[in-house]
Amino acid sequence: MTRLREWLANGPLITDGAWGTELQARGLPPGTVPDTWNLAHSEKVEEVARAYAEAGSQIILTNTFRANAIAMHGLPAAELDAINRAGVEISHRAAPQARVFASIGPTGKMLVSREVSREAVASAFAAQAQSLAAAGADALLIETMSDIDEARLAVEAVRATGLPVVVSFAFDSGKNKDRTMMGATPEAVASAMSEAGADGVGANCGVGVELAVGICRRLHAACELPIWIKPNAGLPTMQGSTVHYATSAEFFASHYGALCEAGASFLGGCCGSTPEFIRALVQSRSTAS
Ligand SMILES: [Zn+2]
């Protein structure tokens, strides 16, 4: 049995909600890369992690989504390493009971148009994963991916750490909003990530919790891996100069049962979700069981 399956022995696990919007609420200026706050304002990052732990998150991520050498190009390797290590340390400190899944986001460059080489992508992900593992991450989460090829390179590059690896894609495109920006379907993602050796596969971000149920079911039907689901709190709209997410915590959490039935093993929220969403999910679980 994989470590991930052992952790799931008592049923689905509740993960966390959004970090970016929570950090903005604590003063992160627009345009500032959130990951830099691991060093500059670690107390604010720790507040976010603690808020999720207190809400009932059993799995907590890290504020390291952009901390790879391509997405944050120009930063000295030592600083990148420090940001990644601090991210894991902050989450462990804030949430000692939770497992820390370290967040690895896309490079932001397109392999298909050769904006970046395969070697550069592999080495950026490998270096980030090494920093995260050295700081004591319990698992790695490659998230918000849209390109199967990039995700495959990432899985292969981070497996050397020996940590469990979950890969999550953003399905937000196509006429049914069931494809990634690069056109990948849940079925294609599930089979490619199984083949690549991932320990779990899933969907995050996207267009909201209602469509996530169908995507979850399709991922689950297409592979044997545990399914990770973290939908957005609906699509963002601008209200004046502030971003607004329409989905309420109650509406979001009312899908707990449907998501579990569709095969979800890890449940949480992405952009726009807050500790209140996690509290509501925990509540839904206790009434469901
Ligand atoms: Zn998101």
Side-chain angles (χ1 to χ4, degrees), residues 70 104-123 125 142 144-158 167-169 171 180-185 188-198 201:
I70 298 171
I104 297 177
T107 63
K109 299 276 180 197
M110 305 262 261
L111 278 164
V112 63
S113 57
R114 310 233 168 122
E115 276 186 313
V116 66
S117 72
R118 304 179 68 79
E119 294 70 29
V121 170
S123 95
F125 285 135
I142 300 164
T144 326
M145 300 304 283
S146 57
D147 180 8
I148 286 181
D149 201 21
E150 182 180 359
R152 193 187 289 116
L153 275 180
V155 173
E156 285 163 2
V158 309
V167 194
S168 178
F169 284 70
F171 297 94
T180 71
M181 205 175 59
M182 299 292 288
T185 61
V189 161
S191 74
M193 293 306 107
S194 300
E195 264 169 46
V201 69

Side-chain angles (χ1 to χ4, degrees), residues 49-197:
R50 190 171 301 111
Y52 282 121
E54 285 170 1
S57 296
Q58 297 163 293
I59 287 174
I60 200 108
L61 305 195
T62 57
N63 183 37
T64 55
F65 180 76
R66 290 160 198 80
N68 70 70
I70 298 171
M72 290 181 78
H73 63 96
L75 214 64
E79 201 173 333
L80 216 45
D81 177 60
I83 288 174
N84 279 301
R85 286 172 182 260
V88 174
E89 286 157 11
I90 291 166
S91 291
H92 269 309
R93 195 158 63 228
Q97 325 288 6
R99 292 193 198 280
V100 173
F101 279 46
S103 169
I104 297 177
T107 63
K109 299 276 180 197
M110 305 262 261
L111 278 164
V112 63
S113 57
R114 310 233 168 122
E115 276 186 313
V116 66
S117 72
R118 304 179 68 79
E119 294 70 29
V121 170
S123 95
F125 285 135
Q128 182 179 14
Q130 265 155 28
S131 300
L132 297 166
D138 296 303
L140 301 173
L141 172 71
I142 300 164
E143 59 175 337
T144 326
M145 300 304 283
S146 57
D147 180 8
I148 286 181
D149 201 21
E150 182 180 359
R152 193 187 289 116
L153 275 180
V155 173
E156 285 163 2
V158 309
R159 271 173 54 194
T161 60
L163 293 175
V165 181
V166 176
V167 194
S168 178
F169 284 70
F171 297 94
D172 56 7
S173 302
K175 69 172 171 6
N176 298 320
K177 303 288 177 212
D178 61 349
R179 289 169 182 260
T180 71
M181 205 175 59
M182 299 292 288
T185 61
E187 289 75 16
V189 161
S191 74
M193 293 306 107
S194 300
E195 264 169 46

Side-chain angles (χ1 to χ4, degrees), residues 18 143-144 204-206 230-232 245 269-272:
E143 59 175 337
T144 326
N204 73 290
C205 236
K230 249 173 164 269
N232 274 3
Y245 291 86
C270 202
C271 305

